[in-house]
Amino acid sequence: MITRRGFMKVLGGGLVSAVALGSYAFGIEPLARLRVARYALTPPGWSPGLKLRLVALADVHACEPWMSARRIASICERANDLGGDVTVLLGDYASGMNLVTRYVHSSEWSKALATLRAPLGVHAIMGNHDWWEDRTAQKSGGGDTFGHRALAGVGIQVYGNRAVRLEKSGFPFWLAGLEDQLALLPGRKWKRAWMGGLDDLDGTLAQVTDEAPVILLAHEPDIFPKVPSRVALTLSGHTHGGQVRFAGHSPVVPSRFGDRYAYGHIVEGDRNLIVSGGLGCSIAPIRFGVPPEIVVVDLG
C-alpha cells in the first residue's frame, strides 16, 4: 500500500516530468534544434549515370520568436553547406499561428531565403498558409499571392502547375511544381461553400515532353495516390510530421489519410514520396519527437 508520502513523491515526480517535457516541446525542440534528414534512393526508371542531390526546406512559418528572419538566414547557410545540386522550397512561408511576438513580413523572410545557393537554382512552390493569409488572393480566387511576388522579387523561381526541364552533367530531368491543394478557404465573404484547390496535376505533367525523370513538388502529400509512376519522386511538406511524434506515429496529422503520409520516405508500389518534417510550427509552437529539419535526397 502506498503511503501519503510515497504518493506525494510520485505526484511530484510526475509534475516535474510533465513540466520538463512541456518545456522541451515548447522551448527547446522548436527553437534550438535543427537536424539534417538524409535519404538515398534510385527510383524505377531513373536515368543511369544521373546522380542528383536535392536539398529541401519546408514550412518555414516565419514569425518571432519561433522563426525570425535571422534564424531563417542561419538555416539557409546550413542548407548551402550541404552541397545540393538543386534547392527546393516546399511552401508555407507565412506564419500559421497567433502565438507570436511579431509577424515577419514577406519582404524579410524572402530576403533571408534569397541567400540560398545551388548550381541548378532555387525553386519554390506555395503552401496553404501562403494562400490563407492573403485576403486579396482569397477574394480573387487565384493569381499570385504576396508569397509568389516576394520570392519572385528576390530571384527565386516559383512554380504554380509548371514543369521545367533541367540538366546535370548532360543528363536531363524535369522539376514540376503544383499550386496548392487547399488554397481557397470556404466562407460567405469569399462566396465559396467549400475549400478549393488550385492544383492541376494532369496539366502540369502534360508539360513534360520526353522520357527524362520527373521530380514533383507538392505542398500537401495527399495528392500522392493520384501521382502516376511516371513521376520518379514526389516531395512534400505540410504535415510537420504531426509536430508531435511517438515511436514513429503521429497522433494528429493534417491529412485525410491520417498517419499514412505524415513523415519520411513512403513507398507505394513503384512510386516514392518523401515528406519533410518541416522547420516551423502552425497552430501551436510545439514540437516533440520531430525536430525542425532540412531534407537531403541523393538520387541515383
Side-chain angles (χ1 to χ4, degrees):
M1 180 177 178
I2 191 169
T3 64
R4 182 176 183 276
R5 186 174 183 177
F7 173 76
M8 293 304 293
K9 284 184 177 180
V10 171
L11 179 61
L15 288 173
V16 169
S17 297
V19 170
L21 285 173
S23 298
Y24 174 81
F26 186 79
I28 297 177
E29 189 161 300
L31 273 170
R33 292 196 60 190
L34 177 66
R35 71 178 177 188
V36 177
R38 296 180 181 271
Y39 303 90
L41 61 149
T42 303
W46 189 257
S47 300
L50 173 56
K51 294 188 179 297
L52 186 70
R53 173 168 286 188
L54 305 173
V55 174
L57 283 68
D59 303 289
V60 171
H61 290 295
C63 62
E64 293 183 357
W66 315 106
M67 192 61 68
S68 66
R70 179 177 293 182
R71 187 180 181 199
I72 296 169
S74 175
I75 291 169
C76 292
E77 183 178 356
R78 177 81 181 276
N80 287 339
D81 291 338
L82 295 172
D85 300 302
V86 180
T87 296
V88 296
L89 299 170
L90 299 176
D92 271 5
Y93 316 98
S95 174
M97 291 190 298
N98 291 323
L99 295 173
V100 304
T101 57
R102 189 177 79 89
Y103 292 102
V104 177
H105 193 269
S106 59
S107 63
E108 298 174 74
W109 54 252
S110 62
K111 183 178 180 181
L113 292 171
T115 62
L116 289 166
R117 297 286 183 268
L120 298 179
V122 181
H123 309 260
I125 57 173
M126 289 295 120
N128 56 301
H129 284 284
D130 305 313
W131 281 92
W132 291 359
E133 296 193 20
D134 190 323
R135 294 185 179 183
T136 302
Q138 288 296 317
K139 185 176 181 179
S140 64
D144 289 343
T145 66
F146 59 73
H148 288 86
R149 295 188 294 273
L151 290 175
V154 295
I156 294 175
Q157 295 191 54
V158 183
Y159 292 61
N161 300 323
R162 185 165 69 100
V164 171
R165 190 177 188 270
L166 302 173
E167 279 192 14
K168 184 195 173 187
S169 303
F171 293 97
F173 65 95
W174 290 84
L175 193 63
L178 295 183
E179 196 49 86
D180 191 68
Q181 301 157 56
L182 303 173
L184 304 179
L185 290 166
R188 289 183 179 179
K189 60 183 174 181
W190 315 124
K191 299 180 181 179
R192 288 189 293 270
W194 55 82
M195 184 172 289
L198 294 173
D199 55 303
D200 182 0
L201 179 62
D202 292 341
T204 302
L205 296 181
Q207 299 168 42
V208 175
T209 57
D210 59 27
E211 297 304 312
V214 179
I215 299 163
L216 178 68
L217 312 180
H219 178 67
E220 294 91 358
D222 283 16
I223 194 73
F224 188 59
K226 299 179 181 179
V227 175
S229 57
R230 173 69 183 87
V231 173
L233 173 65
T234 302
L235 283 171
S236 295
H238 181 64
T239 64
H240 305 188
Q243 284 190 198
V244 175
R245 193 165 178 84
F246 299 99
H249 177 78
S250 302
V252 179
V253 182
S255 165
R256 66 178 183 273
F257 295 101
D259 194 53
R260 180 175 167 184
Y261 302 135
Y263 177 73
H265 183 196
I266 298 102
V267 180
E268 293 186 352
D270 56 358
R271 300 174 308 122
N272 287 270
L273 166 70
I274 291 176
V275 182
S276 170
L279 292 161
C281 299
S282 64
I283 310 302
I286 295 172
R287 278 183 175 262
F288 185 86
V290 55
E293 69 178 24
I294 303 170
V295 170
V296 174
V297 185
D298 286 306
L299 293 162

